[in-house]
Amino acid sequence: DSGVTQTPKHLITATGQRVTLRCSPRSGDLSVYWYQQSLDQGLQFLIQYYNGEERAKGNILERFSAQQFPDLHSELNLSSLELGDSALYFCASSAEVIANSPLHFGNGTRLTVT
Amino acid sequence: DAKTTQPPSMDCAEGRAANLPCNHSTISGNEYVYWYRQIHSQGPQYIIHGLKNNETNEMASLIITEDRKSSTLILPHATLRDTAVYYCIVRVAFKGGKLIFGQGTELSVKP
């Protein structure tokens, strides 16, 4: 158990809808990262937050947004969903943003868009 | 960030050591080598990381060559539960942010 909690585990929704994925980092970790894994793309970095502020952005679509709250949990919002958004979404956390601080991943949310 | 090259797949007999190679010939002096594994759609699991020296923990050993251009992850006594995709990632020391995952090596441990 990595200590990173993601909810829900599974989500099925229709095209055009909006969903929110939630992540609770490991106790004491200040940084949260979001990744997307689809069958044909591998693990893709989306966005990173550190202590409530956006730190780095990857290939995140404009339809997607995220935030980190004062209690350090994070939410990833996906809107105007398309079939291609079906994927596993992983959250990871780390204590610091130095390269010597490993990321620890949750077990993901499986999103299916029909 | 430096790129890594790994073989797409490897087999290992149960109980034997699994040696997974990784080439990172363009690595810079301040970049760390990280290893993760992913077991069938679970979240990636942190294994080990190092900068220059060899490292060992309860899961594995990491051997980094003196010129730092390649490394080997060693699972000393592979079990069927070690069957997974293993990712070697080079991470910049001063950015400390995202990990960029490649395609990894699919390790199959066979009885």
Side-chain angles (χ1 to χ4, degrees), chain A residues 30 33 42 48 55 67 84:
Chain A
L30 297 176
Y33 309 72
Q48 178 203 0
R55 183 72 181 238
Q67 53 184 327

Side-chain angles (χ1 to χ4, degrees), chain A residues 13-50:
Chain A
T13 189
T15 54
Q17 295 298 304
R18 182 178 189 274
V19 297
T20 297
L21 313 184
R22 183 188 167 101
C23 170
S24 294
R26 292 193 323 163
S27 177
D29 283 0
L30 297 176
S31 193
V32 169
Y33 309 72
W34 286 97
Y35 284 79
Q36 179 193 53
Q37 186 174 35
S38 50
L39 278 173
D40 57 347
Q41 290 286 328
L43 275 155
Q44 300 288 316
F45 168 73
L46 295 178
I47 197 163
Q48 178 203 0
Y49 282 83
Y50 177 74

Side-chain angles (χ1 to χ4, degrees), chain A residues 13-19 63 78-82 85 111 113:
Chain A
T13 189
T15 54
Q17 295 298 304
R18 182 178 189 274
V19 297
R63 301 183 284 109
L78 315 177
S79 62
S80 303
L81 284 167
E82 302 175 359
D85 298 327
L111 174 67
V113 182

Side-chain angles (χ1 to χ4, degrees), chain B:
Chain B
D1 296 338
K3 290 187 179 176
T4 61
T5 304
Q6 298 179 253
S9 64
M10 291 181 63
D11 289 340
C12 177
E14 190 178 19
R16 301 287 217 153
N19 296 288
L20 292 94
C22 180
N23 183 286
H24 31 79
S25 58
T26 59
I27 194 169
S28 300
N30 60 0
E31 293 178 327
Y32 283 77
V33 179
Y34 273 77
W35 284 84
Y36 281 79
R37 72 181 182 184
Q38 188 174 25
I39 299 172
H40 189 51
S41 297
Q42 293 179 22
Q45 180 186 21
Y46 166 74
I47 301 173
I48 200 167
H49 74 284
L51 183 62
K52 286 190 259 193
N53 300 322
N54 298 337
E55 302 287 341
T56 295
N57 63 20
E58 65 279 2
M59 286 183 70
S61 294
L62 172 61
I63 308 297
I64 303 174
T65 58
E66 197 169 335
D67 63 7
R68 303 187 68 242
K69 292 186 176 182
S70 65
S71 61
T72 301
L73 179 75
I74 301 172
L75 308 177
H77 305 287
T79 71
L80 299 178
R81 286 182 296 181
D82 292 321
T83 292
V85 178
Y86 287 76
Y87 297 96
C88 169
I89 303 164
V90 172
R91 190 180 188 200
V92 177
F94 299 116
K95 289 182 185 174
K98 59 195 188 238
L99 294 171
I100 304 298
F101 287 80
Q103 297 306 306
T105 295
E106 190 166 359
L107 175 69
S108 295
V109 181
K110 305 194 176 206

